[in-house]
Amino acid sequence: MSNYHIKHLEEYYQVYRKSVRNPEVFWEEIAEEHFMWRKKWDNVLSWDFTKPEVKWFEGAKLNITENCIDRHIYTRGDKTAIIFEPNNPDEDAQHITYRQLHDKVCRFANVLKEKGIGKGDRVCIYLPMIPELAISVLACARIGAIHSVVFAGFSSSALATRVKDCDAKMVITSDGSYRGSKTIDLKGIVDDALNDCEGVESVLVAKRIHSEINMKEGRDHWLEPLLEEAYHDCVPEIMDAEDPLFILYTSGSTGQPKGMVHSSGGYMVYTAYTFKNVFQYRENDIYWCTADIGWITGHSYIVYGPLANGATTVMFEGVPSYPDYGRFWQIVEKHKVTQFYTAPTAIRALAKEGVEHVENHDLSSLKVLGTVGEPINEEAWHWYDDNIGKRKAPIVDTWWQTETGGIMITPIPFATPTKPTYATLPFIGIQPALMDEQGQEIKGNQVDGRLCIKFPWPSMARTIWGNHQRYKDTYFSAFENKYFTGDGALRDEVGYYRITGRVDDVVIVSGHNLGTAPIEDAINEHPAVSESAIVGFPHDIKGNALYGYVILKETGESRNHDNLRKEINQLITEQIGPIAKLDKIQFTSGLPKTRSGKIMRRILRKIASNDTANLGDTSTLLNPDCVKEIMDGVL
Ligand code: PRX
């Protein structure tokens, strides 16, 4: 039996038991046998959730890029590491071998060094899904710089917030990006953002769309000539296992985005191990995850997890609808993709367009299908199973978070029998608990509660950049001695988990995690707005969409409401990005509040969802009359 590669249900249970009975022995063996360390650890794990402090493989030395690149050169140097599939199907795909990847990452790393970047410096990466994105991530890791990738759909002000929060010294971007039939002026967005970020000393610019852009003398540098001149080898910086590898921002229910900090050693071990098992990756497979590297899914399961296993990973620059709705399936056919990992929102959007876009493509290479990011509804699950996997490729519904670094609850394909809408069983080493509102663990099956994790796992985020107290308050204060996920879940009669959704003010829209507070802040900046509240409501394609209740100042009340709606969405686009736009905006004269002045979002959520049969007791509200007004005006 191999602990590293689980193939049967019996094996899963055996390995699972081992992993929770004696986690340290278990993870030590995985780490020792499957990775390259410059020095072994002094201690496998120390932890205290009250501080909270978690350390895995303390004292160990490594560089993750040696694990993701160098060690493969000897065994699979000419194997393709990355397949780059461009936005335009007429442009040739690129195949980058492990040997070439080594060369490209080393050159890039030397450019970073030449521009004054060293161990521990923060580098913000704002790039489209082009090879330079994966390469720059790895180049940072090579020299021990901490990368902070910002999804290139975020606006200049969202970018500026993230650059400033981690005090980045450098930004890496491109002249622009392709997105379906459109181009986006990325460099212009960076220029706007940097008006407000004094700490950035240099900007590296990759050429992608060959547009005319502004280059600021002394600050901005074209990447290509620098890479050409750079030396092709770069000695890796030797890192402590607990040194930060990257920061990735995620929305909170309140306040600024949280810069989740991930470690070098534990993150590597867990993402590699989950990748191998959750996708049952075998040597000649072609794995494709459609996420953007700007999200955690891309970090863990386009870059680090696959490359640590010597896999071939596909990077797709475009969108599922361009040039038509068959694009995903055309790519699967073209590259003979074996594992395909996407979001329920993409499945729903494609299902709506009909099976004719699927039928003319050969999908017989597919062995495993995955979903991530939000609950998958039964209809979408069956569409995926019937039309894409042809009922032969198991669907892994993987539940996890930016904070968890890797997949936490998931079937293991060919081992765990799947069940639509269920993420099924905890992955090896993961100890979930369902809690009631009094803080007690709910034991047994056929129960539901708030989902917590009782014991540390190697890839958990270690802190929030610059704000450890917030890390403690958000994740370790709701339930004693447990990590609180913010999700609700139920456990069925055989112990399978189904995630029921967020229990806080985060809304998952098209698989993107959006905090309501920053959106409200953006709306409230409109001169005609006095107050606002955002909630999610069910949406056929996006899973959830955003509904805004807005109170206008007297000056705004006479204004044309449609124009105001447009202006509000424009503000949100500028402050956060188009993903946070509201589907519906209702103007109202009041918002339901408790006597202490807190907005009762539960009521607003029910009204927006057309679920008003049981609104609960509204008589204790400060202003019960507004509930009727809101119900009468619902859109
Ligand atoms: O609510 C859960 C939902 O997405 C949240 C995490 O979002 P983010 O940090 O952006 O990471 C997404 C990709 C890992 C979770 O708290 N979520 C994620 N996967 C699932 C899910 N909800 C239901 N089922 C899933 N498989």
Side-chain angles (χ1 to χ4, degrees), residues 19-20 23-24 27 44-49 52-56 242 270 404 408 428-432 453-462 471 476 481-483:
S19 74
V20 300
E24 288 155 48
W27 287 110
V44 179
L45 169 66
S46 62
W47 67 291
D48 178 350
F49 277 178
E53 188 178 86
V54 173
K55 291 182 177 163
W56 283 91
E242 280 296 320
Y270 193 79
T404 68
M408 302 287 282
I428 305 301
I430 302 306
Q431 303 188 36
I453 313 291
K454 293 196 271 197
F455 194 86
W457 63 100
S459 68
M460 65 190 293
R462 301 296 196 258
Y471 178 66
F476 296 91
N481 238 347
K482 289 181 182 65
Y483 166 83

Side-chain angles (χ1 to χ4, degrees), residues 272-391:
Y273 183 53
T274 44
F275 173 77
K276 175 77 184 165
N277 287 291
V278 174
F279 300 103
Q280 290 290 308
Y281 186 83
R282 308 239 176 183
E283 187 59 31
N284 294 316
D285 287 348
I286 309 287
Y287 162 88
W288 180 22
C289 164
T290 70
D292 191 290
I293 293 175
W295 310 115
I296 191 69
T297 308
H299 281 61
S300 303
Y301 299 110
I302 295 178
V303 182
Y304 289 115
L307 297 179
N309 282 282
T312 300
T313 175
V314 177
M315 266 183 88
F316 175 45
E317 182 184 29
V319 293
S321 54
Y322 177 80
D324 59 50
Y325 285 95
R327 183 68 163 128
F328 272 4
W329 320 125
Q330 180 251 331
I331 296 172
V332 168
E333 177 174 10
K334 175 174 172 188
H335 297 296
K336 301 199 168 38
V337 171
T338 43
Q339 288 92 350
F340 177 75
Y341 190 30
T342 196
T345 188
I347 298 167
R348 288 190 294 263
L350 294 172
K352 186 167 151 258
E353 299 302 322
V355 285
E356 54 278 18
H357 296 287
V358 182
E359 277 165 350
N360 50 354
H361 295 291
D362 175 6
L363 304 183
S364 59
S365 56
L366 289 171
K367 295 194 288 192
V368 175
L369 302 177
T371 77
V372 58
E374 56 187 312
I376 180 164
N377 51 307
E378 197 143 353
E379 202 182 338
W381 196 98
H382 283 298
W383 187 87
Y384 202 26
D385 190 36
D386 293 345
N387 298 294
I388 308 304
K390 322 279 184 202
R391 300 193 187 182

Side-chain angles (χ1 to χ4, degrees), residues 11-259:
E11 222 171 48
Y12 161 79
Y13 280 115
Q14 278 177 26
V15 178
Y16 182 79
R17 275 195 296 271
K18 220 189 222 177
S19 74
V20 300
R21 275 192 196 138
N22 207 336
E24 288 155 48
V25 172
F26 176 79
W27 287 110
E28 172 156 53
E29 188 193 307
I30 296 286
E32 198 154 30
E33 287 182 10
H34 300 280
F35 299 91
M36 184 176 155
W37 303 89
R38 289 294 188 110
K39 176 184 169 287
K40 290 274 155 68
W41 40 90
D42 306 316
N43 189 22
V44 179
L45 169 66
S46 62
W47 67 291
D48 178 350
F49 277 178
T50 63
K51 285 187 179 163
E53 188 178 86
V54 173
K55 291 182 177 163
W56 283 91
F57 312 115
E58 209 179 346
K61 305 264 185 206
L62 78 154
N63 185 290
I64 195 167
T65 68
E66 284 195 300
N67 284 273
C68 289
I69 309 171
D70 302 53
R71 64 172 167 154
H72 304 311
I73 292 179
Y74 306 104
T75 48
R76 39 174 91 88
D78 295 323
K79 176 176 173 176
T80 300
I82 297 175
I83 298 177
F84 168 62
E85 175 65 32
N87 176 66
N88 180 348
D90 298 330
E91 191 183 325
D92 287 340
Q94 284 178 39
H95 288 72
I96 302 169
T97 65
Y98 274 94
R99 205 182 310 282
Q100 290 166 334
L101 186 62
H102 182 265
D103 179 284
K104 287 174 187 288
V105 168
C106 285
R107 283 174 192 270
F108 207 126
N110 286 326
V111 170
L112 296 178
K113 285 211 267 193
E114 190 208 310
K115 295 291 168 213
I117 302 297
K119 180 175 176 181
D121 288 337
R122 275 78 61 206
V123 173
C124 175
I125 303 174
Y126 187 73
L127 278 170
M129 281 286 285
I130 56 177
E132 286 83 349
L133 174 49
I135 292 163
S136 59
V137 159
L138 293 162
C140 287
R142 186 80 174 174
I143 63 166
I146 301 171
H147 57 77
S148 165
V149 183
V150 176
F151 171 60
F154 276 120
S155 70
S156 60
S157 94
L159 173 62
T161 305
R162 289 158 175 77
V163 167
K164 280 188 289 189
D165 183 76
C166 70
D167 206 6
K169 235 169 129 175
M170 175 189 268
V171 175
I172 303 172
T173 189
S174 63
D175 49 358
S177 64
Y178 294 118
R179 205 173 156 72
S181 55
K182 292 191 217 138
T183 55
I184 297 163
D185 173 22
L186 283 195
K187 179 61 167 54
I189 296 172
V190 170
D191 288 343
D192 280 352
L194 294 194
N195 282 332
D196 198 19
C197 304
E198 279 158 16
V200 175
E201 291 166 11
S202 50
V203 177
L204 301 182
V205 187
K207 227 178 213 149
R208 178 57 184 143
I209 66 169
H210 300 271
S211 54
E212 282 286 315
I213 57 163
N214 239 347
M215 292 292 278
K216 188 171 169 187
E217 184 82 35
R219 185 194 71 180
D220 301 351
H221 312 275
W222 287 108
L223 188 59
E224 258 178 312
L226 294 174
L227 289 173
E228 263 165 41
E229 280 167 29
Y231 188 57
H232 63 85
D233 199 2
C234 171
V235 177
E237 184 76 32
I238 302 307
M239 308 293 286
D240 285 332
E242 280 296 320
D243 278 340
L245 174 64
F246 65 86
I247 302 169
L248 186 61
Y249 286 88
T250 186
S251 305
S253 44
T254 56
Q256 293 293 323
K258 298 171 285 190

Side-chain angles (χ1 to χ4, degrees), residues 297 372-375 397-402 487 499 502 508 513:
T297 308
V372 58
E374 56 187 312
D397 176 354
T398 63
W399 173 83
W400 58 297
Q401 310 177 295
T402 306
D487 282 320
I499 311 303
R502 300 290 308 184
I508 313 274
N513 206 335

